[in-house]
Amino acid sequence: MHEPSEYTKQVQASGEPEFREIGVGPWSQEHPDEPRPDVPGTPAFDARYDTELLDQGDRRNVLDRYRYWTVEAIKADLDARSRYPFEIAVENWTHDFNIGSAVRSANAFGASRVHIVGPHKWNRKGALMTELYQHVDYHPSIKELATSWRYRIAGEIAAEQARANAYDIRAQIGHRPLSADEQRRKTQSAHRLETLRNAKIIALDIIPGAVPIERYRFPERCLLLFGAEGPGLSQAALDEADDVVYISQFGSVRSINAGAAAAVAMHSWVAQHAVIEGPGAAADSGSSAAIRA
């Protein structure tokens, strides 16, 4: 385990405050009667586990179900069960240190992808390593980002339409009506097609004509654009947006930083589209929400 910093030592020596310990110790201490899951060829073997973490303990800021897992295993599990269909993009023209916070929030709220527009180098300090668990893409310009995103949506529409047509074609070839399962799948395809056709690029900025976020209905599939605090989004980003939304504020400053704005916007999306499974769902440090059907 890492040696505490001098600052941490001073805090510990002061006697205040006392924090609860996060995570777990070495596997041998936590599970003394259970076989290690990282021994190939044994019944308990599970490739998701990291040998070093099993040896030293896992104090990372991750959900309890991911204790001792490798970064790659956690990322794959998020892809399989926890990503929502919205994406975020942050302009990096001013090397804004809040970009890291936006990436961290993207992880917390289940964004399927993060896009950095501008130089590849960005301030990762606020991300607290959560970028390791995210899909992060880089784009030289807003135009390139918007074009590639729209092409991707168009490709998904074509693929989904072909999938939906295939059910009818198979039934016609067999001179039979659609089975109950085929009808169900076709209905699901119709919903996915509607979602894709309603996809939008949404800019978050305070400009004349923008819609207050409290009154805006986010489409299920969308790309949220954020700019630097102060100057906000570039004109190129605003030109590419289908809608512009602002976060209502009541103080003296014009804007909040990209990290805060991203968190507010993503949670607004979650509040509209996610289904919380029930009271106390977060008590076991597990995921407590699913996409609304």
Side-chain angles (χ1 to χ4, degrees):
M1 302 296 288
H2 295 294
E3 178 72 13
S5 68
E6 288 302 316
Y7 180 82
T8 299
K9 290 178 181 178
Q10 291 177 27
V11 172
Q12 292 171 338
S14 72
E16 293 287 348
E18 292 185 11
F19 296 114
R20 61 189 176 89
E21 192 169 40
I22 298 298
V24 291
W27 181 272
S28 60
Q29 296 177 12
E30 301 288 342
H31 307 278
D33 300 322
E34 297 180 28
R36 284 176 61 111
D38 63 334
V39 182
T42 63
F45 178 68
D46 188 331
R48 295 174 298 185
Y49 284 83
D50 183 279
T51 296
E52 184 176 349
L53 292 173
L54 291 169
D55 288 339
Q56 299 183 4
D58 187 355
R59 303 296 178 183
R60 297 175 299 175
N61 184 21
V62 298
L63 298 177
D64 288 344
R65 72 165 178 267
Y66 293 139
R67 292 299 171 200
Y68 304 119
W69 284 26
T70 66
V71 168
E72 294 76 14
I74 295 173
K75 189 174 181 179
D77 190 69
L78 290 173
D79 288 344
R81 61 183 288 173
S82 298
R83 306 281 190 204
Y84 285 137
F86 69 85
E87 304 171 40
I88 74 164
V90 187
E91 291 190 301
N92 188 32
W93 306 119
T94 62
H95 198 58
D96 187 348
F97 68 89
N98 291 294
I99 291 178
S101 296
V103 173
R104 185 184 182 193
S105 293
N107 174 269
F109 294 116
S112 62
R113 194 168 293 273
V114 175
H115 304 271
I116 306 295
V117 182
H120 283 214
K121 185 178 180 181
W122 53 278
N123 194 317
R124 286 169 166 76
K125 186 175 181 180
L128 296 180
M129 306 299 287
T130 54
E131 73 274 15
L132 299 177
Y133 308 106
Q134 290 299 119
H135 296 285
V136 181
D137 292 341
Y138 296 90
H139 305 269
S141 68
I142 280 288
K143 183 67 176 179
E144 190 276 335
L145 164 64
T147 299
S148 63
W149 186 83
R150 290 189 170 112
Y151 276 153
R152 181 152 49 88
I153 294 295
E156 291 183 34
I157 289 174
E160 195 62 56
Q161 186 65 68
R163 189 177 298 113
N165 293 342
Y167 299 124
D168 289 325
I169 292 171
R170 283 195 292 266
Q172 291 170 6
I173 291 174
H175 302 287
R176 60 174 177 80
L178 291 173
S179 68
D181 183 63
E182 287 173 329
Q183 187 60 59
R184 178 181 61 83
R185 291 175 182 271
K186 186 177 178 181
T187 300
Q188 291 173 340
S189 281
H191 172 72
R192 285 192 289 267
L193 279 169
E194 182 180 12
T195 297
L196 287 164
R197 287 168 178 154
N198 291 330
K200 290 183 177 182
I201 296 177
I202 303 166
L204 275 294
D205 206 345
I206 299 180
I207 63 171
V211 178
I213 196 170
E214 296 81 7
R215 300 177 187 170
Y216 184 75
R217 179 69 184 178
F218 283 91
E220 189 173 316
R221 192 68 181 269
C222 56
L223 172 63
L224 307 177
L225 304 181
F226 302 94
E229 183 175 13
L233 283 164
S234 67
Q235 187 59 50
L238 294 172
D239 290 343
E240 290 292 344
D242 298 298
D243 292 333
V244 183
V245 175
Y246 73 89
I247 298 168
S248 297
Q249 299 165 209
F250 309 96
S252 60
V253 297
R254 174 190 174 275
S255 64
I256 55 178
N257 65 59
V264 170
M266 285 186 278
H267 189 266
S268 294
W269 187 100
V270 168
Q272 293 179 11
H273 292 289
V275 177
I276 307 304
E277 293 176 352
D284 61 352
S285 296
S287 177
S288 62
I291 190 70
R292 190 183 303 278

